[in-house]
Amino acid sequence: MSYAIFGGSFDPVHLGHLFIADEVLHAFGYDRVIFVPAYRSPHKDDRPSAGEEDRLVMLQAAIADRPEFTIDEFELEQRGVSYTIGTVQYLLDRYPDEPNPGLIIGDDLTHNFSQWREVKKLQQLVDILVAYREGAIDTGQVGRYKRIDNAPLPVSSSEVRARIRSGRNFRYLVPDAVHAMITAQSLYR
Ligand code: ATP
C-alpha cells in the first residue's frame, strides 16, 4: 500500500487541505493519503483553537466518504509537540512493506524547512510533495521535491476561524459536514 503523509493542525480542516490531498492521489497514484492531525505543531506558537477531539471528529466527518483518505492518531496520542521525523519513523515501522512514502507540505512551509528536526534523514526517508499556496518554494531549503500541480485555493484555517469569530459566512470554505458541526456546537466562537 503506497501512501502519502499529510500532517497539520486541521483547526479546522478546510477545502484547501482536501483539494491537495485529492490532487496527490490523482497525480502521483498513491493508494492512500494518511492525515496526521497534530496535537501541537512545532511550527506554531499558539495552541490549536479547538480541542484535539473536536479537530479529529471534524476531520473524520470531512473524509467519511473517501476510503482512500485515512487518519492516524499517533501525534494526538503523543500529547505534545510532535516532529515530522518521529511520525515518519512510526509510519515506516507500522507499514514496513512501503519504504518510500510521500510527505505533503504547502510551499509556505518550505521557508524554514532546513530547520526541521533531523531534516537530512527526513529527506532520505520520504518524497517531499509541495503544494502551491503562496507560490514560491524555497528550493535551497527543501532539497529534492515534487510539485503538486494544485490550483492554489486561498483558504486557511485562520481565515475560517476569524470569519466565525466575527460572525461572517464561512460555509463553502469547509466541507458541509464540518460547517454543520461547527455551527451546531458553536466552535471557534
Ligand atoms: P492556519 O491558518 O491555522 O495556520 P492552515 O490553513 O495553514 O492553518 P494547517 O492544518 O496548519 O492549515 O496546514 C497543514 C498543511 O496544509 C501545511 O503543509 C499547509 O502548508 C498546507 N495547507 C493548508 N492550507 C492550504 C492551502 N489552501 N493550499 C495549499 N496547502 C495548504
Side-chain angles (χ1 to χ4, degrees):
M1 178 211 62
S2 64
Y3 64 96
I5 304 161
F6 191 11
S9 299
F10 305 114
D11 186 25
V13 60
H14 55 67
L15 295 187
H17 295 128
L18 296 173
F19 185 66
I20 64 174
D22 210 20
E23 190 60 27
V24 162
L25 281 185
H26 284 106
F28 301 116
Y30 292 101
D31 297 321
R32 274 209 234 165
V33 171
I34 303 180
F35 290 72
V36 185
Y39 184 77
R40 209 162 158 194
S41 166
H43 312 300
K44 297 184 184 183
D45 295 333
D46 296 336
R47 290 167 186 284
S49 295
E52 60 275 10
E53 185 62 27
D54 286 336
R55 289 185 291 121
L56 175 62
V57 174
M58 287 189 281
L59 189 53
Q60 286 166 337
I63 66 170
D65 59 343
R66 294 299 304 275
E68 314 90 326
F69 291 168
T70 62
I71 300 173
D72 197 296
E73 296 176 35
F74 173 72
E75 293 192 5
L76 296 180
E77 285 160 4
Q78 298 288 299
R79 305 192 73 76
V81 174
S82 293
Y83 294 90
T84 302
I85 185 70
T87 303
V88 166
Q89 281 171 324
Y90 153 78
L91 287 169
L92 288 171
D93 284 348
R94 179 157 185 198
Y95 304 110
D97 294 342
E98 177 45 64
N100 188 224
L103 177 72
I104 302 171
I105 59 172
D107 58 24
D108 53 311
L109 292 191
T110 63
H111 301 306
N112 73 347
F113 196 80
S114 60
Q115 312 296 315
W116 284 29
R117 186 164 285 193
E118 296 188 60
V119 67
K120 291 266 175 301
K121 192 166 177 187
L122 182 63
Q123 285 162 325
Q124 286 164 7
L125 293 176
V126 296
D127 278 345
I128 296 165
L129 312 174
V130 184
Y132 285 96
R133 191 169 199 199
E134 293 170 348
I137 295 189
D138 202 329
T139 46
Q141 298 217 28
V142 85
R144 221 157 40 86
Y145 66 91
K146 295 180 185 166
R147 207 34 157 148
I148 303 170
D149 191 15
N150 60 300
L153 298 186
V155 47
S156 64
S157 298
S158 28
E159 164 78 11
V160 172
R161 294 194 302 273
R163 282 180 162 268
I164 298 168
R165 261 198 314 276
S166 54
R168 287 153 75 205
N169 177 38
F170 66 102
R171 179 153 196 166
Y172 294 111
L173 300 179
V174 298
D176 287 345
V178 173
H179 179 265
M181 185 178 157
I182 290 172
T183 308
Q185 300 186 24
S186 302
L187 300 177
Y188 301 113
R189 289 272 169 196

